[in-house]
Amino acid sequence: MEREITEEKLQRYFKITEEALKTLEIAVHEKSLLKAVADDFLTMARSYFEDARYYYSKGDYVTAFAALNYAHGFIDAGVRLGVFNGEDDRLFAFG
């Protein structure tokens, strides 16, 4: 059982989340009522990703890892809801 957040684990999650953010596409039409949801989820995912970078730079691996999980949670929730396209099951939990 792993009980610590290693540099390797953090780097793996940074890479996956960054690639997911770069490849996901908003799946709803610009005039859809769900466009605001898509925009909000994407903003939250990007914000948490940037928070993770900040905490990582401070050496706070626990908070960085938590922020990465929140970021990816917004990404996966958006895919599941159908506001993001996410076909790659390596990057998206519901792809």
Side-chain angles (χ1 to χ4, degrees):
M1 173 186 303
E2 292 186 47
R3 298 181 70 94
E4 66 181 67
I5 299 167
T6 63
E7 177 77 24
E8 294 78 21
K9 181 175 278 197
L10 264 177
Q11 290 306 316
R12 185 173 77 235
Y13 279 89
F14 268 114
K15 182 180 176 187
I16 290 169
T17 303
E18 183 172 33
E19 190 174 346
L21 282 168
K22 286 180 179 178
T23 63
L24 73 78
E25 298 175 352
I26 293 180
V28 294
H29 190 274
E30 191 71 31
K31 294 182 180 179
S32 169
L33 294 176
L34 288 174
K35 178 67 167 75
V37 172
D39 290 342
D40 187 47
F41 276 33
L42 187 54
T43 296
M44 294 300 290
R46 287 178 175 156
S47 295
Y48 275 113
F49 186 75
E50 290 307 315
D51 288 349
R53 283 184 171 163
Y54 170 79
Y55 288 110
Y56 174 76
S57 75
K58 299 293 183 188
D60 184 349
Y61 284 16
V62 172
T63 307
F65 189 66
L68 280 171
N69 280 280
Y70 271 100
H72 217 99
F74 273 100
I75 293 167
D76 287 338
V79 171
R80 180 70 169 170
L81 184 60
V83 298
F84 299 148
N85 288 327
E87 301 299 322
D88 186 341
D89 63 1
R90 186 178 52 82
L91 301 175
F92 307 104
F94 300 103

